[in-house]
Amino acid sequence: EQIMERLQSLINGKSSDVCLEVLKYFLSKLSSSYSVTRHLALKALQEILSQDSQKWLTVGLPSLPTFTSLLTDVIPLIVEACRVETDSSHLVNYLLFISTNISNELLVTIAMQLSPIVCSRFSLLKTLSLDSSLLNIFRRSLDMFIHDKVPIPCDEYETENLKVMCIPLVDKTCEIVIEWKFLNALWLLLSLNTSFNDEHYLINMLLPVDTNLMVRVVAMATRE
């Protein structure tokens, strides 16, 4: 009990560095391959952050005094937890937290990190009650790729997962680059969201009628 009180005082203090160190210790264990380790870390976070164990992530964590300054480090740790979590309720909470708190600065990087998770865990994701928030991360990222000319972090991905193609009819200097799993993930999420009924959304985004627009994104893997 004294240890918990001490941990609570540390994360609720004014030092974001101290708070982050405590949170990183427990949050990093949520991505452990051992379910017992994940369970113990989750129990600790629930007790430290909230009296209601179900709201530690959605209410307890955002209520911390230094929460905003922690997001850049916290969200990637939650993304890592999504890779291994098998409890559907926890996975939904993780994805909801990410989509609710992600900033434009993190948007592209996190969307890229989520792409292989969506592709590899789609059989589990399609059984969950997901709203459109996860899909919106990918839609916003695609929009930023195309309209805001956000640099695509190609150096973070294996060369064989990247393709380059030119479409002279759109722009003679047009170079289209994408990590193909990003577009696969977007396609899968579109298939889950029945309320999104724009069947030409992707083709209109990737090959717009406005030829003055620099097209920057397309899937060019073997089977695409």
Side-chain angles (χ1 to χ4, degrees), residues 4 15 38 46 65 85 103 134 160 176:
M4 282 298 169
S15 173
R38 297 199 303 272
Q46 289 171 341
E85 185 54 63
S103 63
L134 182 59
E160 58 266 28
I176 304 173

Side-chain angles (χ1 to χ4, degrees), residues 108-139:
V108 170
T109 298
I110 295 302
M112 288 295 198
Q113 291 174 359
L114 284 171
S115 297
I117 297 174
V118 171
C119 295
S120 64
R121 311 206 71 192
F122 184 66
S123 59
L124 174 59
L125 290 178
K126 67 183 181 182
T127 67
L128 307 180
S129 299
L130 294 173
D131 61 14
S132 60
S133 55
L134 182 59
L135 170 61
N136 287 339
I137 290 179
F138 285 83
R139 291 185 60 200

Side-chain angles (χ1 to χ4, degrees), residues 119 163 180-181 183-185 187-188 219-224:
C119 295
K163 304 293 177 181
W180 67 269
K181 285 185 180 178
L183 219 52
N184 278 353
W187 181 266
L188 291 172
M220 285 298 296
T222 303
R223 60 193 179 88
E224 278 77 15

Side-chain angles (χ1 to χ4, degrees), residues 46-203:
Q46 289 171 341
E47 291 189 34
I48 294 170
L49 290 166
S50 177
Q51 294 181 342
D52 186 338
S53 62
Q54 300 302 314
K55 297 182 178 180
W56 73 272
L57 186 59
T58 56
V59 178
L61 187 54
S63 67
L64 294 178
T66 56
F67 175 68
T68 304
S69 64
L70 302 172
L71 280 175
T72 302
D73 295 287
V74 167
I75 287 182
L77 292 172
I78 301 297
V79 171
E80 286 303 307
C82 292
R83 296 182 187 276
V84 297
E85 185 54 63
T86 56
D87 186 298
S88 58
S89 63
H90 297 332
L91 186 55
V92 168
N93 282 338
Y94 295 161
L95 293 171
L96 179 61
F97 175 83
I98 294 167
S99 58
T100 301
N101 294 286
I102 194 169
S103 63
N104 285 338
E105 290 74 21
L106 285 174
L107 189 65
V108 170
T109 298
I110 295 302
M112 288 295 198
Q113 291 174 359
L114 284 171
S115 297
I117 297 174
V118 171
C119 295
S120 64
R121 311 206 71 192
F122 184 66
S123 59
L124 174 59
L125 290 178
K126 67 183 181 182
T127 67
L128 307 180
S129 299
L130 294 173
D131 61 14
S132 60
S133 55
L134 182 59
L135 170 61
N136 287 339
I137 290 179
F138 285 83
R139 291 185 60 200
R140 285 166 57 199
S141 296
L142 183 60
D143 188 69
M144 289 176 72
F145 281 146
I146 295 174
H147 296 99
D148 299 335
K149 296 181 174 58
V150 175
I152 301 174
C154 299
D155 58 330
E156 297 180 15
Y157 303 96
E158 299 174 0
T159 304
E160 58 266 28
N161 286 337
L162 295 170
K163 304 293 177 181
V164 178
M165 181 178 119
C166 290
I167 303 181
L169 294 178
V170 178
D171 189 308
K172 291 182 180 180
T173 62
C174 175
E175 194 174 57
I176 304 173
V177 184
I178 190 59
E179 202 276 333
W180 67 269
K181 285 185 180 178
F182 170 86
L183 219 52
N184 278 353
L186 175 55
W187 181 266
L188 291 172
L189 291 173
L190 283 169
S191 72
L192 285 182
N193 199 294
T194 56
S195 62
F196 187 79
N197 53 15
D198 184 357
E199 61 183 17
H200 302 298
Y201 165 72
L202 277 180
I203 194 67

